[in-house]
Amino acid sequence: VQASAFGHWTHGLYMRKSRKMERGSLRELEYPFDSEYILKNAKKLRRVLLAEEGVRIRKKIAVLGGSTTHDIIRILELFLLHQGIEPEFYESEYGQYFQDAMFGNERLKDFAPDVIYIHTSGRNVTACPKPGDGREETEALLEEQFGHFSAMWDKLEADYHCPVIQNNFEYPFYRLLGNQDGAAISGRTRFLTRLNERFYQYGETHENFYINDINYISAAYGLDKWSDPFYWHMYKYCLCMQAIPEFAYNLCNIIKAVFGKNKKALVLDLDNTLWGGVVGDDGADNLEIGQETSMGQVYAEFQGYIKAQKDIGVMLNINSKNEEENAMAGLEHPAGTLKPDDFIVIKANWEPKSKNLEDIAAELNILPESLVFVDDNPAEREIVRMQTPAAAPEIGRPEQYIRVLDRSGFFEVTSLSEDDRRRSDMYRANRMREKQQTGFADYGEYLKSLGMKGTIRSFEPVYMARIAQLTNKSNQFNLTTRRYTQGEIEQAAADGEYITLYGKLEDKFGDNGVVSVVIGHKKEEELHIDLWIMSCRVLKRDMEFAMMDRLVEESRKEGIERILGYYYPTAKNKMVENFYGLQGFGKIKEDEEGNTVWLYEIPEIYEKKNKYIEVEMERE
């Protein structure tokens, strides 16, 4: 019996390890990582990554270099594969970044990049003020250097309509004017700082433009090591070889965020994670948090950092082995920044933390791989890694918590919408809706009680960033799994051959923001649906029917008689495999892989399907 039990246990452990391998288990590529190990074992890591099972999105990345880029591409590929992105690269000839952008290149044009990355540095600034130059000479040089780059960005945007990622400039590795180099109008440090600011100002008015902040990461790494002149003169690298993994990881964070690979929620332990001590043993009054001790200050600073995550749309949750009463007492500590109302789901019980994580994901209606689990206990982290696809970073000592989470880039911000800032409130309101639902025997009466109001319109400029974000984040309610950049969204909106719709929904508990998007292209008297997505937080609220009603209305205006819908199955979107059938479509085709095509003949008299949402009329 013991042998049989042991065999069952080891088989279960093996299966869990196998499942983990399918999800991407290379801890060597998770922050904090060993850069030397990655550089020495890149080929082996690549083989393992490519051998792993699982769905990856394929993206074409053009790298236009102002210095040598081969090893940057080599290491960047590893981090992208680890994030579920299989890249194909175009690499410019050495130093030809400007020529490729401005004067045309058939090979680049045929490559048709999904994102363009421009790898330049302070070494590519061709003219700086000389000591003693006045404001007039310096301003002229500033305009000249900025114009060199901005003309290139404008040309790339016009030709390729895809995101552009541009390095800013690191500080120079010497200061000719000493401390005045950053203060004098002709100082090189000040000049590069002002040039960086012009880059940022450009980014404020161009939403498909992103800065790879090498000024920050070079400072964090150590400027003397980063800018070691040996690597420039020997290999034409603008950074030292040892810094390439740090550099590539930072760049990967931008790319994976652009393509919707960010995490969505933090799940936090309590004891010795949000405060020092064990609340059940020490009592809430004796927890180490606040200004009285140095370690109490560390935990207080960490709580402040975590609370600030809400401002960028991160959802906060608790997963603690504790009595709920003790957990709440700890969260009500007067010196604590975080309070119970800051969290959407609080699991304080004696269940396995892996089970709690899966329950939290279900209650938030997001996938478990969207969670980041933060716990000081290495055993709990390992169990979570083995049993779930959630991230569980090695957070180190309390004074390292912020640095590790921040550098990990789980929630890299590429744009920040009003919906992002209000996400926690929206999900908390959703839980209030769920609680209210339990008081109704009839679901229809419950929907009526919400007082829902919808806005469904053609794409508008104010929502372009949010629409693009939603297309990249939606996995479960996504019928064709198409992903769009903001530039592609803007193109579709401006093209008369497309019908585009976004849907917003609000009720008595609050505004859910933009929750649904439909894109279809016209072909004679048919409309072919390229994309239909919806946020899972408004499932079964009639929003899908309201979108269908408006889609039929807009199709009729365009003389459309038939609507064709497509469903391409993935591991994540099975919930919508019969979506079109529920909308009244008939299945007309299915292949061996389960891809289906559906047809809807628009009737002369169309009966609206939405019964519970008051929809605002489209603007004239």
Side-chain angles (χ1 to χ4, degrees), residues 356-609:
N356 280 340
L357 273 169
E358 292 174 351
D359 290 345
I360 288 169
E363 290 183 41
L364 294 177
N365 213 349
I366 62 177
L367 296 170
E369 52 262 46
S370 298
L371 303 176
V372 178
F373 176 61
V374 181
D375 194 312
D376 70 295
N377 188 328
E380 294 287 7
R381 294 195 298 265
E382 188 60 24
I383 292 170
V384 162
R385 292 189 195 105
M386 295 295 294
Q387 299 284 352
T388 81
E394 292 295 320
I395 56 176
R397 302 185 307 274
E399 57 270 27
Q400 297 173 321
Y401 291 175
I402 292 177
R403 179 176 62 82
V404 171
L405 287 179
D406 204 62
R407 299 281 183 84
S408 292
F410 294 122
F411 311 106
E412 178 78 24
V413 174
T414 50
S415 63
L416 191 60
S417 68
E418 185 61 29
D419 282 359
D420 290 326
R421 291 189 288 269
R422 294 188 297 106
R423 182 168 290 115
S424 287
D425 292 337
M426 290 190 287
Y427 273 82
R428 189 177 294 106
N430 226 29
R431 287 177 62 78
M432 292 171 65
R433 295 180 189 103
E434 291 169 3
K435 288 179 181 178
Q436 175 158 324
Q437 181 182 341
T438 61
F440 286 85
D442 181 77
Y443 188 68
E445 290 300 315
Y446 160 68
L447 290 180
K448 282 183 184 178
S449 76
L450 294 177
M452 293 184 289
K453 295 182 179 180
T455 301
I456 303 176
R457 295 176 181 161
S458 303
F459 290 177
E460 297 176 311
V462 67
Y463 295 119
M464 293 299 188
R466 168 58 182 163
I467 290 167
Q469 183 187 63
L470 194 61
T471 68
N472 282 288
K473 285 187 174 181
S474 299
N475 293 302
Q476 297 178 85
F477 199 116
N478 188 337
L479 288 124
T480 57
T481 70
R482 286 282 303 273
R483 309 292 185 186
Y484 288 78
T485 65
Q486 186 169 333
E488 291 170 330
I489 290 292
E490 291 167 353
Q491 277 187 290
D495 191 335
E497 293 304 306
Y498 284 82
I499 290 177
T500 64
L501 296 173
Y502 76 86
K504 294 182 66 181
L505 184 65
E506 60 179 295
D507 58 32
K508 68 180 183 180
F509 291 109
D511 187 351
N512 289 282
V514 176
V515 293
S516 189
V517 174
V518 176
I519 298 175
H521 71 272
K522 295 180 283 186
K523 190 174 181 180
E524 297 178 348
E525 296 175 345
E526 295 178 345
L527 181 73
H528 296 256
I529 298 176
D530 299 320
L531 180 79
W532 192 323
I533 59 175
M534 193 168 75
S535 170
C536 290
R537 67 174 180 264
V538 296
L539 282 177
K540 300 181 180 178
R541 300 266 302 279
D542 253 26
M543 191 63 189
E544 58 270 42
F545 296 129
M547 293 294 288
M548 179 66 183
D549 292 346
R550 179 55 57 85
L551 183 62
V552 169
E553 182 182 332
E554 293 301 310
S555 296
R556 278 178 158 171
K557 289 180 185 177
E558 300 292 333
I560 299 296
E561 296 181 358
R562 293 173 295 280
I563 302 175
L564 282 92
Y566 302 84
Y567 168 69
Y568 305 138
T570 71
K572 299 176 181 178
N573 72 353
K574 188 173 178 60
M575 64 182 295
V576 291
E577 64 179 343
N578 196 40
F579 169 77
Y580 285 117
L582 296 174
Q583 296 288 349
F585 287 67
K587 189 192 300 184
I588 60 172
K589 188 176 180 181
E590 181 170 7
D591 65 18
E592 294 178 354
E593 297 177 350
N595 300 307
T596 55
V597 183
W598 302 73
L599 174 66
Y600 184 80
E601 300 270 3
I602 299 177
E604 288 188 19
I605 300 175
Y606 175 80
E607 184 177 346
K608 289 191 174 182
K609 302 175 185 301

Side-chain angles (χ1 to χ4, degrees), residues 59-263:
K59 294 297 176 183
K60 295 181 177 181
I61 301 170
V63 178
L64 310 185
S67 58
T68 303
T69 55
H70 175 71
D71 283 311
I72 288 168
I73 289 172
R74 183 171 65 95
I75 303 304
L76 176 62
E77 181 185 27
L78 301 180
F79 288 119
L80 289 172
L81 286 169
H82 189 55
Q83 292 291 341
I85 299 171
E86 187 169 339
E88 179 184 350
F89 289 102
Y90 166 93
E91 184 178 15
S92 72
E93 298 293 332
Y94 168 76
Q96 296 296 300
Y97 72 97
F98 188 78
Q99 289 84 343
D100 270 12
M102 294 299 292
F103 306 124
N105 181 313
E106 286 302 315
R107 191 163 67 89
L108 178 58
K109 184 177 179 181
D110 292 342
F111 182 69
D114 296 305
V115 62
I116 295 172
Y117 165 56
I118 303 170
H119 180 63
T120 51
S121 71
R123 295 281 188 178
N124 300 111
V125 177
T126 56
C128 281
K130 299 186 295 294
D133 278 355
R135 186 169 296 276
E136 186 175 339
E137 296 96 331
T138 301
E139 293 296 334
L141 285 172
L142 187 67
E143 289 302 320
E144 176 190 325
Q145 292 298 298
F146 175 69
H148 169 83
F149 286 95
S150 62
M152 176 177 60
W153 303 331
D154 290 344
K155 186 73 162 56
L156 290 172
E157 196 281 328
D159 289 349
Y160 296 101
H161 305 287
C162 71
V164 171
I165 302 173
Q166 168 71 59
N167 290 350
N168 60 5
F169 298 111
E170 76 281 24
Y171 284 139
F173 69 94
Y174 64 88
R175 299 180 300 169
L176 192 61
L177 301 180
N179 287 290
Q180 281 296 303
D181 210 62
I185 191 66
S186 61
R188 186 181 180 92
T189 301
R190 183 174 178 188
F191 185 76
L192 291 177
T193 299
R194 294 182 67 203
L195 194 50
N196 279 344
E197 178 59 30
R198 294 296 299 273
F199 280 28
Y200 308 151
Q201 290 170 357
Y202 183 93
E204 288 176 351
T205 57
H206 295 78
E207 292 179 331
N208 253 348
F209 178 83
Y210 307 100
I211 291 291
N212 183 37
D213 190 2
I214 70 171
N215 189 35
Y216 176 85
I217 59 172
S218 63
Y221 187 84
L223 189 59
D224 285 345
K225 292 187 292 181
W226 177 279
S227 297
D228 187 342
F230 171 82
Y231 290 94
W232 174 256
H233 297 297
M234 179 61 72
Y235 306 112
K236 288 298 178 285
Y237 273 120
C238 69
L239 71 166
C240 69
M241 178 70 74
Q242 295 80 6
I244 286 176
E246 294 268 357
F247 177 94
Y249 186 81
N250 191 72
L251 178 58
C252 171
N253 283 337
I254 301 173
I255 297 171
K256 60 93 174 169
V258 167
F259 295 119
K261 292 290 186 176
N262 268 356
K263 305 298 184 184

